[in-house]
Amino acid sequence: MRIVLGVGGGIAAYKAASLLRLFTEAGHDVTVIPTEAAGKFVGVATWEALSGHPVSNSVFDEVPQVRHVRLGHEADLVVVAPATADLLAKAATGQADDLLTTTLLMARGPVLFAPAMHTEMWQHAATQANVETLRSRGATVLEPATGRLTGPDSGPGRLPEPEAIRDAALALASAAGVAGTVQDHTLLAAPSGSTPLAGRTITISAGGTREALDPVRFLGNRSSGKQGAALAAAALEAGARVRFLAAHMDVEPPAGVELVSVESALELRDAALAALPDSDVVIMAAAVADFRPAEVSGTKIKKRDDQEAPVVRLVRNPDILHELVDTRNASGGEQLLVGFAAETGDEEGGVMEHAQAKLERKGCDLLVVNHVGVGRVFGQDDNSVVILSLRGAEPQSASGSKADVAAAVIDRIGAELSRVVPPA
Ligand code: CTP
């Protein structure tokens, strides 16, 4: 997992060096971003030696690589320890005057603040309001430990011990579905009920439908089912019950799903509509054939020397996602419906224009868009997507392995669920 460790300017900065060690020893790749004030307590050489990466807090270093954008985007997890009153205030008000604060604004994965400051500063209404703001936006702000502070004073305000921060941070990443967190540490399993997906039922369709021409031939597509399988794995990891509607797949569905195998678009439609009433979320990741042969021969179609090659007439398949949206709306259901759009640009518009039009046409809540071409996306291990929301939230991009993309999509679904359908 890629972790950004932000270090604020407080005496507890020295404890962040132990935290860094705990992360790197567990195999995580950590980039440290100290604030300028942190440099008064611990020098850059310490961070560089322990992390194995160059360390800077300037947005003007590595300008061509747009480091302030890249670090936040690529981080699976951002941990700020110690988070000073000043840093919490900057984060709460969205200030971006150095590399750490810009990274916090760019981060799309889970963010954890471990505060450390004098008791009066922690208890001040301004700090408490900032903590409230950050929590309401989805960040995790740990309660500081109670005990001896820098001077003779003692009370709440101590930085929690590095092991406690590590455990909280990794549990947060695991709950957010960040791939590769569960194996890292025994304490990582998300406490059940701690993720918005725990106990929810997610139906995921995956793979490519096959439309029969005769008993041995079909019209198919290049979908491998890898993205759907990765989504199922991420949803399971987040504690969901996963019903997996599998069309043709090149990979095995993950262990632990409730498997429903289907062949054609019509079979998938029946399975999806049957699954809708008791699902909290339906993700249509399957590549559904838009057309099927109008006639299916009951016997193998033979070539004959005295006949022309047959012409296959096609008819439209139902749009399953659209039907799910209509059925949900007609029944007053609250299921979150998620589509995947495989798009190429053409003379009528670019990828995103087509995707936005598709989102509105289908009426689903989220549309995960990827750019396809022959040999691109289908069957490949890596992927790059943009998540569009019908409610007009900012488009969110995610890239990396299909597991990384799946984790980001499941994370986003969790965030939508806690907003749209409050847990019972
Ligand atoms: N989908 C569906 N039923 C169909 C076709 C697609 O439910 N008959 C779903 C897919 O599972 C996916 C989303 O709709 O979640 C978008 O699929 P895509 O193939 O990109 O869109 P199409 O509806 O085929 O649109 P177009 O042909 O205009 O690209």
Side-chain angles (χ1 to χ4, degrees), residues 284 286 288-290 318-321 339-343 358 361-362:
M284 286 294 298
V288 186
D290 287 323
D319 185 321
I320 303 170
L321 185 55
F340 266 70
E343 292 295 340
K358 187 170 286 183
R361 202 166 62 238
K362 303 228 173 202

Side-chain angles (χ1 to χ4, degrees), residues 1-4 23-24 26-31 53 74-79 109-110 166-185 188 237 404:
M1 173 167 61
R2 280 164 299 198
I3 302 177
V4 165
F23 283 142
T24 54
H28 301 295
D29 181 40
V30 188
T31 301
H53 289 299
E74 290 177 0
D76 296 310
L77 170 69
V78 179
V79 178
R166 172 202 59 192
D167 292 347
L170 297 183
L172 176 68
S174 173
V178 175
T181 47
V182 164
Q183 305 88 307
D184 295 337
H185 195 270
L188 295 187
E237 198 173 312
D404 293 336

Side-chain angles (χ1 to χ4, degrees), residues 205-221:
S205 74
T209 65
R210 290 180 161 184
E211 311 298 322
L213 277 161
D214 69 16
V216 294
R217 302 186 181 94
F218 57 83
L219 297 180
N221 60 63

